[in-house]
PDB file of all heavy atoms in Angstrom:
ATOM      1  N   LEU W 434     153.970 176.968 103.643  1.00 83.00           N
ATOM      2  CA  LEU W 434     152.776 176.830 102.809  1.00 83.00           C
ATOM      3  C   LEU W 434     151.716 175.944 103.485  1.00 83.00           C
ATOM      4  O   LEU W 434     150.567 175.868 103.101  1.00 83.00           O
ATOM      5  CB  LEU W 434     153.117 176.261 101.549  1.00 83.00           C
ATOM      6  CG  LEU W 434     153.850 177.184 100.586  1.00 83.00           C
ATOM      7  CD1 LEU W 434     154.424 176.434  99.369  1.00 83.00           C
ATOM      8  CD2 LEU W 434     152.974 178.260 100.077  1.00 83.00           C
ATOM      9  N   GLY W 435     152.254 175.246 104.603  1.00 82.00           N
ATOM     10  CA  GLY W 435     151.296 174.323 105.316  1.00 82.00           C
ATOM     11  C   GLY W 435     151.124 172.971 104.571  1.00 82.00           C
ATOM     12  O   GLY W 435     150.103 172.342 104.611  1.00 82.00           O
ATOM     13  N   ILE W 436     152.143 172.565 103.786  1.00 81.00           N
ATOM     14  CA  ILE W 436     152.189 171.291 103.221  1.00 81.00           C
ATOM     15  C   ILE W 436     153.052 170.352 103.874  1.00 81.00           C
ATOM     16  O   ILE W 436     154.223 170.707 104.111  1.00 81.00           O
ATOM     17  CB  ILE W 436     152.518 171.413 101.712  1.00 81.00           C
ATOM     18  CG1 ILE W 436     151.440 172.268 101.026  1.00 81.00           C
ATOM     19  CG2 ILE W 436     152.621 170.083 101.018  1.00 81.00           C
ATOM     20  CD1 ILE W 436     151.789 172.729  99.659  1.00 81.00           C
ATOM     21  N   PRO W 437     152.636 169.221 104.247  1.00 77.00           N
ATOM     22  CA  PRO W 437     153.498 168.225 104.950  1.00 77.00           C
ATOM     23  C   PRO W 437     154.578 167.746 103.906  1.00 77.00           C
ATOM     24  O   PRO W 437     154.424 167.713 102.692  1.00 77.00           O
ATOM     25  CB  PRO W 437     152.753 167.093 105.243  1.00 77.00           C
ATOM     26  CG  PRO W 437     151.455 167.242 104.395  1.00 77.00           C
ATOM     27  CD  PRO W 437     151.388 168.705 104.078  1.00 77.00           C
ATOM     28  N   ALA W 438     155.754 167.575 104.516  1.00 71.00           N
ATOM     29  CA  ALA W 438     156.936 167.121 103.657  1.00 71.00           C
ATOM     30  C   ALA W 438     156.627 165.821 102.939  1.00 71.00           C
ATOM     31  O   ALA W 438     157.077 165.511 101.817  1.00 71.00           O
ATOM     32  CB  ALA W 438     158.162 166.876 104.601  1.00 71.00           C
ATOM     33  N   ARG W 439     155.815 165.012 103.652  1.00 72.00           N
ATOM     34  CA  ARG W 439     155.464 163.734 102.996  1.00 72.00           C
ATOM     35  C   ARG W 439     154.001 163.719 102.682  1.00 72.00           C
ATOM     36  O   ARG W 439     153.124 163.845 103.717  1.00 72.00           O
ATOM     37  CB  ARG W 439     155.839 162.527 103.834  1.00 72.00           C
ATOM     38  CG  ARG W 439     155.634 161.351 103.176  1.00 72.00           C
ATOM     39  CD  ARG W 439     156.294 160.227 103.856  1.00 72.00           C
ATOM     40  NE  ARG W 439     155.958 158.934 103.213  1.00 72.00           N
ATOM     41  CZ  ARG W 439     156.507 157.735 103.599  1.00 72.00           C
ATOM     42  NH1 ARG W 439     157.309 157.723 104.543  1.00 72.00           N
ATOM     43  NH2 ARG W 439     156.126 156.701 102.946  1.00 72.00           N
ATOM     44  N   ILE W 440     153.524 163.649 101.488  1.00 75.00           N
ATOM     45  CA  ILE W 440     152.099 163.787 101.185  1.00 75.00           C
ATOM     46  C   ILE W 440     151.411 162.426 101.660  1.00 75.00           C
ATOM     47  O   ILE W 440     151.935 161.324 101.472  1.00 75.00           O
ATOM     48  CB  ILE W 440     151.913 164.038  99.628  1.00 75.00           C
ATOM     49  CG1 ILE W 440     152.568 165.296  99.261  1.00 75.00           C
ATOM     50  CG2 ILE W 440     150.468 164.070  99.283  1.00 75.00           C
ATOM     51  CD1 ILE W 440     152.632 165.462  97.789  1.00 75.00           C
ATOM     52  N   TYR W 441     150.257 162.708 102.206  1.00 77.00           N
ATOM     53  CA  TYR W 441     149.514 161.540 102.630  1.00 77.00           C
ATOM     54  C   TYR W 441     149.007 160.755 101.551  1.00 77.00           C
ATOM     55  O   TYR W 441     149.019 159.536 101.566  1.00 77.00           O
ATOM     56  CB  TYR W 441     148.406 162.036 103.588  1.00 77.00           C
ATOM     57  CG  TYR W 441     148.880 162.780 104.766  1.00 77.00           C
ATOM     58  CD1 TYR W 441     148.357 164.051 105.096  1.00 77.00           C
ATOM     59  CD2 TYR W 441     149.907 162.247 105.603  1.00 77.00           C
ATOM     60  CE1 TYR W 441     148.797 164.669 106.162  1.00 77.00           C
ATOM     61  CE2 TYR W 441     150.309 162.958 106.680  1.00 77.00           C
ATOM     62  CZ  TYR W 441     149.798 164.224 106.963  1.00 77.00           C
ATOM     63  OH  TYR W 441     150.206 164.864 108.055  1.00 77.00           O
ATOM     64  N   MET W 442     148.410 161.432 100.493  1.00 77.00           N
ATOM     65  CA  MET W 442     147.889 160.564  99.440  1.00 77.00           C
ATOM     66  C   MET W 442     148.571 160.960  98.126  1.00 77.00           C
ATOM     67  O   MET W 442     148.298 161.841  97.308  1.00 77.00           O
ATOM     68  CB  MET W 442     146.400 161.060  99.237  1.00 77.00           C
ATOM     69  CG  MET W 442     145.490 160.555 100.318  1.00 77.00           C
ATOM     70  SD  MET W 442     145.259 158.789 100.023  1.00 77.00           S
ATOM     71  CE  MET W 442     144.090 158.975  98.645  1.00 77.00           C
ATOM     72  N   PRO W 443     149.673 160.224  97.891  1.00 77.00           N
ATOM     73  CA  PRO W 443     150.512 160.597  96.681  1.00 77.00           C
ATOM     74  C   PRO W 443     149.829 160.002  95.434  1.00 77.00           C
ATOM     75  O   PRO W 443     150.346 158.978  94.847  1.00 77.00           O
ATOM     76  CB  PRO W 443     151.891 159.833  96.953  1.00 77.00           C
ATOM     77  CG  PRO W 443     151.512 158.766  97.979  1.00 77.00           C
ATOM     78  CD  PRO W 443     150.229 159.100  98.657  1.00 77.00           C
ATOM     79  N   THR W 444     148.737 160.535  95.037  1.00 80.00           N
ATOM     80  CA  THR W 444     148.169 160.174  93.688  1.00 80.00           C
ATOM     81  C   THR W 444     148.974 160.686  92.623  1.00 80.00           C
ATOM     82  O   THR W 444     149.854 161.542  92.850  1.00 80.00           O
ATOM     83  CB  THR W 444     146.688 160.647  93.620  1.00 80.00           C
ATOM     84  OG1 THR W 444     146.743 162.033  93.706  1.00 80.00           O
ATOM     85  CG2 THR W 444     145.818 160.100  94.748  1.00 80.00           C
ATOM     86  N   ALA W 445     148.729 160.193  91.488  1.00 78.00           N
ATOM     87  CA  ALA W 445     149.545 160.688  90.313  1.00 78.00           C
ATOM     88  C   ALA W 445     149.383 162.254  90.096  1.00 78.00           C
ATOM     89  O   ALA W 445     150.368 162.989  89.903  1.00 78.00           O
ATOM     90  CB  ALA W 445     149.016 160.029  89.083  1.00 78.00           C
TER      91      ALA W 445
END
Side-chain angles (χ1 to χ4, degrees):
Chain W
L434 288 167
I436 293 165
R439 185 165 178 177
I440 299 170
Y441 300 128
M442 286 284 288
T444 61

